């Protein structure tokens, strides 16, 4: 079933107008569309990191709280910026690769979902490491095995992430 938005028609028509073989045009147009998608993803990743770091960094500098400084130092927010390109790719793959088998599209989308889960697990690890640093410098948790608790939380997070990946 074709989606209402067909992004590859412009490239295919342009290639055929330029004299490219009609049998090769669909493959070349798909390659062009994928190149545009990945270029847009890299640009979005770069902009997201810059914008998030600028906005969050300004907030962190103005706040009196030290915890957000640690979150910024551990790059928790930068990790979140990597989700935006993955979401872009996930949403545009069906439109760009609409000539492919539906099963293959599902596999590609699952690969992107795996990537998003890995990004999320990475962000959670950075978050827990931030909590570890906060706990190690807190008098309230002095003498407590903060690092062991953090390692346990990270382990449980990876197990849950693995179960989610296996369920897809």
């Amino acid at each position: 079933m074709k989606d209402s938005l067909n992004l590859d028609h412009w490239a295919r028509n342009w290639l055929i107008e330029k004299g490219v073989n009609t049998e090769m045009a669909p493959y070349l147009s798909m390659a062009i569309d994928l190149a545009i998608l990945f270029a847009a993803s890299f640009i979005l990743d770069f902009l997201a990191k810059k914008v998030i770091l600028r906005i969050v960094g300004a907030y962190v500098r103005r706040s009196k709280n030290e915890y957000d400084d640690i979150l910024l130092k551990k790059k928790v927010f930068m990790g979140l910026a990597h989700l935006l390109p993955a979401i872009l790719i996930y949403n545009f793959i069906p439109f760009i690769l609409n000539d492919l088998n539906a099963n293959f599209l599902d596999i590609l989308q699952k690969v992107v979902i795996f990537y998003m889960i890995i990004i999320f697990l990475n962000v959670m690890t950075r978050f827990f490491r931030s909590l570890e640093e906060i706990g190690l410098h807190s008098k309230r948790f002095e003498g407590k095995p903060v690092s062991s608790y953090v390692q346990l939380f990270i382990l449980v997070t990876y197990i849950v992430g693995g179960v989610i990946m296996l369920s897809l």
Side-chain angles (χ1 to χ4, degrees):
M1 181 168 116
K2 298 279 183 188
D3 292 301
S4 61
L5 178 64
N6 187 352
L7 295 178
D8 72 340
H9 65 84
W10 69 272
R12 184 179 297 158
N13 293 339
W14 180 76
L15 288 169
I16 291 172
E17 286 175 10
K18 296 296 179 187
V20 174
N21 184 349
T22 55
E23 292 178 11
M24 287 297 296
Y27 300 110
L28 289 175
S29 92
M30 187 183 312
I32 290 170
D33 288 340
L34 284 172
I36 291 170
L37 176 65
F38 288 121
S41 297
F42 284 118
I43 291 169
L44 181 62
D45 184 56
F46 176 77
L47 291 175
K49 282 191 281 189
K50 291 292 183 189
V51 169
I52 287 174
L53 287 180
R54 180 166 289 150
I55 291 171
V56 172
Y59 173 75
V60 167
R61 282 187 292 279
R62 280 186 273 136
S63 77
K64 296 176 184 175
N65 192 342
E66 294 180 16
Y67 300 148
D68 52 6
D69 294 331
I70 294 172
L71 291 172
L72 188 64
K73 184 178 93 175
K74 294 290 186 178
K75 300 181 180 182
V76 174
F77 303 109
M78 188 178 293
L80 288 173
H82 292 301
L83 282 174
L84 293 176
I87 292 169
L88 177 80
I89 291 171
Y90 178 81
N91 287 317
F92 278 95
I93 278 181
F95 298 117
I96 291 176
L97 302 176
N98 61 354
D99 291 338
L100 294 179
N101 183 336
N103 291 332
F104 187 67
L105 285 176
D106 288 341
I107 291 171
L108 285 176
Q109 284 187 312
K110 285 182 182 179
V111 168
V112 175
I113 290 172
F114 285 170
Y115 177 68
M116 287 191 280
I117 291 170
I118 290 169
I119 290 171
F120 182 74
L121 292 174
N122 187 2
V123 168
M124 291 303 297
T125 300
R126 292 176 184 188
F127 177 73
F128 287 135
R129 293 294 177 199
S130 299
L131 292 180
E132 178 181 25
E133 187 170 328
I134 291 167
L136 288 174
H137 293 94
S138 171
K139 290 183 181 181
R140 181 177 180 193
F141 295 107
E142 196 172 295
K144 304 271 193 297
V146 174
S147 295
S148 297
Y149 291 136
V150 167
Q151 287 175 352
L152 179 65
F153 288 141
I154 291 171
L155 180 65
V156 169
T157 302
Y158 276 100
I159 290 171
V160 169
V163 168
I164 291 171
M165 285 182 176
L166 288 175
S167 71
L168 296 175

